[in-house]
Amino acid sequence: MTIDDITRITTEAIYTVIITAAPVLLVSLIVGLAVSIFQTVTSIQEQTLTFVPKILSIFIAIMVLGQWMMNNMSSFMTRLWGDFSIYIR
């Protein structure tokens, strides 16, 4: 296994993690921004108001996108383990 192989595997792993986590993080960002704008407009400064919508939206996003996320991660691991014989040479 060469340094190029290790660099390629690391790059693919980081890319897979970013692509897999991005939709849930974006949903959380958008909901957090919407709640912050709502709090600013209505002058409600309740700290717990931000948690409940974020948790619910993340839960819904994982329910909707969970299968895609799992397929994305498992296809990466399948490729990685499929090339295992190449890496041990």
Side-chain angles (χ1 to χ4, degrees):
M1 180 180 259
T2 64
I3 296 297
D4 293 334
D5 292 333
I6 295 171
T7 304
R8 184 180 55 81
I9 292 169
T10 305
T11 304
E12 284 182 34
I14 291 171
Y15 179 76
T16 301
V17 167
I18 289 171
I19 292 299
T20 304
V24 175
L25 292 174
L26 285 174
V27 166
S28 175
L29 176 75
I30 291 168
V31 169
L33 183 63
V35 169
S36 293
I37 291 171
F38 175 75
Q39 282 182 324
T40 303
V41 169
T42 60
S43 298
I44 298 173
Q45 297 302 322
E46 179 64 32
Q47 295 295 326
T48 58
L49 185 62
T50 59
F51 287 120
V52 174
K54 273 189 184 180
I55 289 173
L56 289 176
S57 64
I58 289 172
F59 181 70
I60 291 169
I62 289 174
M63 284 177 42
V64 171
L65 298 170
Q67 183 178 3
W68 173 80
M69 293 168 70
M70 194 62 181
N71 286 338
N72 196 11
M73 290 185 290
S74 62
S75 67
F76 171 71
M77 288 306 297
T78 303
R79 281 193 321 270
L80 191 63
W81 283 105
D83 295 339
F84 190 72
S85 62
I86 297 169
Y87 301 142
I88 59 174
R89 291 186 191 167

